[in-house]
Amino acid sequence: MAFFKKLKDRLFKSSSKIEDGLDAIIEDGGTQDASDPPAEIDPKAEALATTLEGVTASEAQQAVDHLIASGAATEVPADDTAKPEPEEQPTPEPDTVPVPKPATVPEPKPDTVPTPKPATVPAPEPERVPDPKPDTIPVPKPTTPPGPRPAPAPPVEVPEPPQEVPPATPTEAPVPSGDPAPAPTPVEIPLDTLPKAEAPTKTGLLGRLLGRGDGKGVTRRALDDDMLEQLEELLITADMGVDTALRVTANLAEGRMGKRLSTQEIKELLAQEIARIMEPVARPLPLYSKTPQVVLVVGVNGSGKTTTIGKLASQFRAAGKKVVIAAGDTFRAAAVEQLQVWGDRAGVPVLTAPEGSDPASLAFDAMGQAQADGADLLMIDTAGRLQNRADLMEELSKIVRVIRKKDPSAPHNTLLVLDATTGQNALSQVATFQKLADVSGLVMTKLDGTAKGGVLVALADKFGLPIHAIGVGEQIDDLAPFDPEDFAAALTGIER
Ligand SMILES: Nc1nc2c(ncn2[C@@H]2O[C@H](COP(=O)(O)OP(=O)(O)OP(=O)(O)O)[C@@H](O)[C@H]2O)c(=O)[nH]1
């Protein structure tokens, strides 16, 4: 699946950390299942090895034997110094190089060696072609929303008279799930410009010929306490947190102690365990029938709030929704400007107020305008200054208070945006923001730029808050729906 590949490529920092760690664990005490006796090394193979970087003579010999055995090459008498005659070759495949002579072979281009599996040569990136179907929309599936959330803690001086509260019976979200209108300008990052996981270099042509990684001569290690401890440590270094790492490894070990496992098998078991933890929290942003739906976006400065609002606005708009954004971080002119840039990109109006003005007042005006315009969605950005929690708490409370004058059931969602590069710190941010605001769900950004992707598993395990979407890049369409199985597979480096 094209999107899975994109996700996997973007999560490569986390996945390569886990993959490399697993390889090292299995190597440490593991043995090959089927160890072939060391073959005699032909001088020709030795010569081939010298022309190919990183290839031992023994590997070259096996490759040569393999080519000959597969019919892709023929044996050349040792004393024959003439070049192979192409027309005498028995196979129709290109057969110019099979068993090179020391003097004549040094064709350092492995690609010219005929391979029985041309299809396994790394294919061109299909993602370069813009995908006509925006499959990154995190929300547009109508879902049956969960029951009404408890209202945020009432502010101290609640002055409002009792108002008629419309029954908070969320009905089926009206978001169309069909073909959305074309997104404004989702510029896809050509994947070949991104750094890639090192997988392609690990399994070169000879590696493929020799069957490295395809099940032959696989190294396995019997699962014991030492290995479990190493696995725990690996998961902790991938920011899964101690408790979650222990839980995952304990589940993995159940009924498997003493069993011989390969890296690939452990990856698959890990992915299963991770997906199991993530499954309950993978929920799209619930949309209620009441409009405008108010989404309050909170998070520390730099976590990616502005970017996420821009991406979400673009995707909702593409799904046919009328969206309004309120630039509620009135303390920083730069933040407002940045949001305006994102609003322009998404083709969505951004309501602003002069620097230093009351964000609650802006939120109130924005609410009025969104109602008057018949907007489906109002997204309110907020400041993220955690330095003064009392001020921030009061600010968020006030915003909630005033928008409830217009709609007592608002905000319908309070999204906490977290930066994955902060690793374990994300856990304390959740705890803090749960005290400051009635957080209803999470968006995790910057998973593309960190080896700490495991923190998302720890968050799911510890808080159980819904994860609506993940940010995997800086472009407008780099917000992916959170799919637990795709995520678990991408995180552990499984190919699909
Ligand atoms: N690689 C990557 N970068 C991201 C992602 N999301 C946001 N960023 C970058 O993170 C930086 C901060 O993002 P903002 O959206 O400005 O964060 P903010 O929370 O609004 O920050 P303030 O405006 O300071 O409150 C920007 O450079 C973004 O381009 C992501 O998913 N991946």
Side-chain angles (χ1 to χ4, degrees), residues 36-399:
D36 299 324
E40 270 184 30
I41 309 291
D42 190 299
K44 295 190 290 289
E46 256 169 22
L48 177 60
T50 60
T51 67
L52 298 173
E53 205 182 335
V55 172
T56 66
S58 139
E59 287 174 333
Q61 179 65 54
Q62 288 179 62
V64 168
D65 292 346
H66 182 97
L67 287 170
I68 292 168
S70 68
T74 49
E75 181 70 270
V76 178
D79 58 350
D80 184 355
T81 52
K83 286 189 178 181
E85 293 292 333
E87 57 279 7
E88 287 177 11
Q89 299 303 316
T91 85
E93 293 187 50
D95 48 3
T96 50
V97 187
V99 187
K101 296 284 178 194
T104 55
V105 175
E107 276 295 334
K109 290 193 284 175
D111 291 349
T112 60
V113 179
T115 162
K117 293 188 205 168
T120 61
V121 174
E125 296 291 342
E127 284 73 19
R128 280 193 222 163
V129 181
D131 192 342
K133 204 173 170 196
D135 51 359
T136 55
I137 295 181
V139 190
K141 279 186 204 154
T143 57
T144 307
R149 296 191 297 112
V156 199
E157 73 272 32
V158 189
E160 289 87 42
Q163 298 188 36
E164 200 186 305
V165 180
T169 42
T171 54
E172 200 168 278
V175 190
S177 62
D179 297 337
T185 43
V187 183
E188 190 135 274
I189 298 178
L191 290 178
D192 56 357
T193 65
L194 292 173
K196 289 282 190 289
E198 72 266 42
T201 57
K202 273 185 177 172
T203 311
L205 178 65
L206 277 178
R208 292 195 299 275
L209 288 172
L210 294 167
R212 277 184 205 154
D214 67 359
K216 286 179 197 163
V218 174
T219 303
R220 286 194 162 78
R221 179 176 167 188
L223 188 60
D224 58 11
D225 287 342
D226 273 357
M227 185 169 154
L228 271 184
E229 210 169 295
Q230 287 175 319
L231 281 173
E232 277 160 25
E233 275 165 25
L234 174 64
L235 298 183
I236 291 167
T237 63
D239 262 85
M240 227 172 257
V242 177
D243 295 344
T244 309
L246 286 174
R247 198 177 340 279
V248 167
T249 46
N251 289 346
L252 184 147
E254 207 176 307
R256 294 192 184 88
M257 289 308 272
K259 286 222 165 95
R260 285 170 54 73
L261 297 169
S262 66
T263 301
Q264 181 63 23
E265 286 156 354
I266 294 185
K267 273 191 206 172
E268 276 159 19
L269 292 170
L270 275 181
Q272 270 171 32
E273 285 306 320
I274 292 170
R276 217 165 49 82
I277 292 174
M278 309 304 273
E279 194 75 51
V281 300
R283 299 220 299 265
L285 190 70
L287 285 187
Y288 302 78
S289 60
K290 186 100 202 247
T291 57
Q293 279 284 296
V294 183
V295 180
L296 193 63
V297 182
V298 300
V300 299
N301 286 336
S303 61
K305 293 187 297 295
T306 308
T307 312
T308 300
I309 291 173
K311 291 170 176 176
L312 277 173
S314 161
Q315 295 183 6
F316 275 115
R317 189 171 173 269
K321 296 284 158 193
K322 193 165 181 184
V323 183
V324 173
I325 296 172
D329 186 358
T330 56
F331 290 86
R332 290 201 318 119
V336 174
E337 280 163 26
Q338 212 193 346
L339 199 52
Q340 277 173 317
V341 170
W342 274 102
D344 287 348
R345 280 182 201 154
V348 163
V350 178
L351 305 182
T352 61
E355 190 177 351
S357 58
D358 183 1
S361 159
L362 171 72
F364 186 79
D365 292 346
M367 190 71 187
Q369 181 157 342
Q371 284 176 330
D373 291 355
D376 298 298
L377 203 69
L378 167 64
M379 285 198 274
I380 304 175
D381 189 16
T382 62
R385 299 176 312 281
L386 264 189
Q387 297 86 327
N388 188 337
R389 288 181 196 191
D391 280 0
L392 186 55
M393 184 187 280
E394 172 50 26
E395 188 178 309
L396 294 174
S397 299
K398 194 169 170 193
I399 291 175

